Amino acid sequence: QVQLVEYGGGLVQAGGSLRLSCAASGRTFSRYYMGWFRQAPGKEREFVATISRSGGNTAYADSVKGRFTISRDNAKNTVYLQMNSLKPEDTAVYYCAATTRGVITTAELYSFWGQGTQVTVSS
């Protein structure tokens, strides 16, 4: 089992940047594939990005491709989401999640979730 805590959310102007961090407990972090998801008010949770256990394989939602970068540091038990060129439509609660099933984009296949961090992008 792994516990996840997200950091780094906040308020930023359109065009700005934020870096989210997700710290995992335990000594088995490197066994998990990690993902970032987001949920805007009145909308369903949606996939943002995912990364393999070694960090060598990543995947992104089309809406963030070229603007967001997912990475991980297994020595620090942390996964990151660098968000550049932010848009008002990126406003949401961002969640990190862990799975043993692979580089996948389906939220239902992730077993462990953080509590979320709010990102608000003003126009």
Side-chain angles (χ1 to χ4, degrees):
Q1 192 167 355
V2 61
Q3 293 182 327
L4 304 172
V5 179
E6 299 96 337
Y7 301 94
L11 174 64
V12 63
Q13 288 188 334
S17 298
L18 280 176
R19 188 175 82 155
L20 304 183
S21 302
C22 173
S25 65
R27 294 177 287 182
T28 59
F29 177 70
S30 61
R31 294 171 55 186
Y32 292 94
Y33 301 82
M34 300 298 297
W36 285 97
F37 293 78
R38 66 187 182 186
Q39 188 167 19
K43 295 187 177 181
E44 294 186 353
R45 189 170 299 189
E46 66 173 357
F47 165 75
V48 176
T50 182
I51 190 166
S52 63
R53 292 177 294 186
S54 67
N57 188 18
T58 59
Y60 297 91
D62 287 344
S63 59
V64 306
K65 202 171 293 183
R67 300 188 297 122
F68 291 12
T69 302
I70 188 171
S71 62
R72 67 190 296 163
D73 185 338
N74 287 342
K76 295 183 178 180
N77 283 10
T78 301
V79 61
Y80 305 97
L81 186 67
Q82 177 67 45
M83 304 186 295
N84 298 329
S85 302
L86 282 161
K87 305 175 181 179
E89 51 264 44
D90 294 319
T91 295
V93 177
Y94 283 71
Y95 299 89
C96 71
T99 183
T100 58
R101 300 198 182 201
V103 178
I104 55 176
T105 64
T106 305
E108 288 75 13
L109 297 180
Y110 281 77
S111 301
F112 305 103
W113 291 82
Q115 83 290 347
T117 186
Q118 176 71 47
V119 172
T120 302
V121 184
S122 62
S123 57

